[in-house]
Coordinates of all heavy atoms in Angstrom, one line a residue:
Chain A
S325 N -3.5 -10.7 -1.7 CA -2.7 -11.9 -2.2 C -1.8 -12.3 -1.1 O -0.9 -11.5 -0.6 CB -1.9 -11.6 -3.4 OG -1.2 -12.7 -3.9
L326 N -1.9 -13.6 -0.6 CA -1.0 -14.0 0.5 C 0.2 -14.7 0.0 O 1.3 -14.4 0.5 CB -1.8 -15.0 1.4 CG -3.1 -14.5 2.1 CD1 -3.8 -15.7 2.8 CD2 -2.7 -13.4 3.0
F327 N 0.0 -15.6 -0.9 CA 1.2 -16.4 -1.4 C 1.0 -16.7 -2.9 O -0.1 -16.9 -3.4 CB 1.3 -17.8 -0.7 CG 1.7 -17.7 0.7 CD1 0.7 -17.9 1.7 CD2 3.0 -17.4 1.1 CE1 1.0 -17.9 3.0 CE2 3.3 -17.4 2.5 CZ 2.3 -17.6 3.4
M328 N 2.1 -16.8 -3.6 CA 2.1 -17.4 -4.9 C 3.2 -18.5 -4.9 O 4.3 -18.3 -4.5 CB 2.5 -16.4 -6.0 CG 2.3 -16.8 -7.4 SD 3.7 -17.8 -8.0 CE 5.0 -16.5 -8.0
L329 N 2.8 -19.7 -5.3 CA 3.7 -20.9 -5.2 C 3.8 -21.6 -6.5 O 2.8 -21.8 -7.2 CB 3.1 -21.9 -4.2 CG 3.0 -21.6 -2.7 CD1 2.0 -22.6 -2.1 CD2 4.3 -21.7 -2.0
S330 N 4.9 -22.1 -6.8 CA 5.1 -23.0 -7.9 C 5.7 -24.3 -7.4 O 5.6 -25.3 -8.2 CB 5.9 -22.4 -9.1 OG 7.1 -21.9 -8.6
S331 N 6.3 -24.3 -6.3 CA 6.8 -25.5 -5.7 C 7.1 -25.3 -4.2 O 7.3 -24.1 -3.8 CB 8.1 -26.0 -6.4 OG 9.1 -25.0 -6.2
G332 N 7.2 -26.4 -3.5 CA 7.7 -26.3 -2.1 C 6.8 -25.6 -1.1 O 5.7 -25.9 -1.0
K333 N 7.4 -24.7 -0.4 CA 6.8 -24.2 0.8 C 7.2 -22.7 1.0 O 8.3 -22.3 0.7 CB 7.3 -25.0 2.0 CG 6.8 -24.5 3.4 CD 7.5 -25.5 4.4 CE 7.2 -25.1 5.8 NZ 7.7 -26.0 6.8
K334 N 6.2 -21.9 1.4 CA 6.5 -20.5 1.8 C 5.9 -20.2 3.1 O 4.9 -20.7 3.5 CB 6.0 -19.6 0.7 CG 6.8 -19.6 -0.6 CD 6.3 -18.4 -1.5 CE 7.2 -18.4 -2.8 NZ 6.8 -17.3 -3.7
K335 N 6.6 -19.3 3.8 CA 6.1 -18.9 5.2 C 6.2 -17.3 5.2 O 7.1 -16.7 4.8 CB 7.1 -19.5 6.2 CG 6.6 -19.2 7.7 CD 7.6 -20.0 8.6 CE 7.1 -19.9 10.0 NZ 7.1 -18.6 10.6
H336 N 5.1 -16.8 5.8 CA 5.0 -15.4 6.1 C 4.3 -15.2 7.4 O 3.1 -15.3 7.5 CB 4.3 -14.6 4.9 CG 4.4 -13.1 5.1 ND1 3.3 -12.4 5.6 CD2 5.4 -12.3 4.9 CE1 3.6 -11.1 5.6 NE2 4.9 -11.0 5.2
G337 N 5.1 -14.8 8.4 CA 4.5 -14.7 9.7 C 3.9 -16.0 10.2 O 4.6 -17.0 10.3
R338 N 2.6 -15.9 10.6 CA 2.0 -17.2 11.1 C 1.4 -18.0 9.9 O 0.7 -19.0 10.2 CB 0.9 -16.8 12.0 CG 1.4 -16.1 13.3 CD 0.3 -15.7 14.3 NE -0.6 -14.7 13.7 CZ -1.8 -14.9 13.3 NH1 -2.3 -16.1 13.3 NH2 -2.5 -13.9 12.8
L339 N 1.6 -17.6 8.7 CA 1.0 -18.3 7.6 C 2.0 -19.1 6.9 O 3.2 -18.7 6.7 CB 0.4 -17.3 6.6 CG -0.7 -16.4 7.1 CD1 -1.2 -15.4 6.0 CD2 -1.9 -17.2 7.6
I340 N 1.7 -20.3 6.5 CA 2.5 -21.2 5.8 C 1.7 -21.8 4.7 O 0.6 -22.3 4.9 CB 3.1 -22.4 6.7 CG1 3.8 -21.8 7.9 CG2 4.0 -23.3 5.9 CD1 4.0 -22.9 9.0
A341 N 2.3 -21.8 3.5 CA 1.7 -22.5 2.3 C 2.6 -23.5 1.7 O 3.8 -23.3 1.6 CB 1.3 -21.4 1.3
T342 N 2.0 -24.6 1.4 CA 2.8 -25.7 0.8 C 2.1 -26.2 -0.5 O 0.9 -26.0 -0.6 CB 2.9 -26.9 1.7 OG1 1.6 -27.5 2.0 CG2 3.6 -26.5 3.1
I343 N 2.9 -26.8 -1.4 CA 2.3 -27.3 -2.6 C 3.0 -28.6 -3.0 O 4.2 -28.7 -2.8 CB 2.3 -26.3 -3.7 CG1 1.5 -26.8 -4.9 CG2 3.8 -25.9 -4.1 CD1 1.3 -25.8 -6.0
N344 N 2.2 -29.6 -3.4 CA 2.8 -30.8 -3.9 C 2.3 -30.9 -5.3 O 1.2 -31.3 -5.6 CB 2.3 -32.0 -3.1 CG 2.9 -33.3 -3.5 OD1 3.1 -33.6 -4.7 ND2 3.3 -34.2 -2.5
I345 N 3.2 -30.7 -6.3 CA 2.9 -30.6 -7.7 C 2.4 -32.0 -8.2 O 1.5 -32.1 -9.0 CB 4.0 -30.1 -8.5 CG1 4.4 -28.7 -8.1 CG2 3.7 -30.2 -10.0 CD1 3.3 -27.7 -8.4
Q346 N 3.1 -33.0 -7.7 CA 2.8 -34.4 -8.2 C 1.4 -34.8 -7.8 O 0.6 -35.4 -8.5 CB 3.8 -35.4 -7.6 CG 5.1 -35.4 -8.3 CD 5.9 -34.2 -7.9 OE1 5.8 -33.7 -6.8 NE2 6.8 -33.7 -8.8

Side-chain angles (χ1 to χ4, degrees):
Chain A
S325 180
L326 299 175
F327 295 104
M328 189 279 293
L329 293 163
S330 53
S331 65
K333 176 180 176 178
K334 286 190 176 180
K335 184 176 189 295
H336 186 257
R338 295 181 294 107
L339 301 178
I340 303 167
T342 63
I343 188 168
N344 184 318
I345 297 294
Q346 286 73 31

